[in-house]
Amino acid sequence: MEDCIFCKIVSGEIPSQRLYEDDDTFVFLDINPLQEGHTLVIPKIHTRDLFDTDAEVYMKIMKAVQQVGPAIKTVTGAEGFNVIANVGSAAGQTVFHTHFHIVP
Ligand code: 5GP
Ligand code: ZN
């Protein structure tokens, strides 16, 4: 989608620190981390939020969260991590391309 920061990150138009990528998902470090290792997991296809996302795509993002979360925990040495989705500007969503935060 034009003018979507995360679509531009997927296409490489905007650089990012990529941690993982497959056919459907893209995983990269947050530019303004709440903690070291703060990571974003996004679908490659543009959707506005989780509730604008096909169940099939949703499952693929969750699969990436399941794979990457424990790896981030190990690398950062954190004892745990939060998986967060802000849905809607009132809930703090600022980028309207579906994403999960993984925050160690
Ligand atoms: P939201 O508030 O929408 O849930 O989270 C959006 C997140 O995207 C924020 O934590 C913000 O720091 C991150 N972000 C915004 N622009 C960029 C960018 O250009 N690159 C990266 N890596 N992260 C970004
Ligand atoms: Zn997008």
Side-chain angles (χ1 to χ4, degrees):
M1 189 200 184
E2 251 179 76
D3 291 334
C4 170
I5 291 172
F6 287 179
C7 283
K8 287 180 180 172
I9 284 176
V10 170
S11 71
E13 197 178 327
I14 292 177
S16 67
Q17 289 186 273
R18 182 185 56 183
L19 302 184
Y20 172 81
E21 179 179 10
D22 60 31
D23 288 348
D24 305 294
T25 60
F26 196 92
V27 180
F28 57 105
L29 290 177
D30 196 295
I31 204 167
N32 187 20
L34 295 173
Q35 295 289 340
E36 187 188 5
H38 181 169
T39 295
L40 300 171
V41 178
I42 70 173
K44 286 188 169 176
I45 191 169
H46 180 91
T47 61
R48 181 181 168 83
D49 61 47
L50 287 173
F51 300 92
D52 176 43
T53 302
D54 281 349
E56 199 182 326
V57 174
Y58 181 92
M59 293 305 287
K60 286 172 175 164
I61 317 167
M62 284 315 294
K63 192 176 165 200
V65 169
Q66 209 174 34
Q67 289 173 333
V68 168
I72 293 167
K73 180 170 173 274
T74 301
V75 168
T76 59
E79 291 176 16
F81 56 90
N82 295 94
V83 178
I84 302 162
N86 299 326
V87 180
S89 50
Q93 186 175 6
T94 58
V95 177
F96 292 90
H97 179 126
T98 299
H99 55 280
F100 278 107
H101 297 258
I102 299 177
V103 185

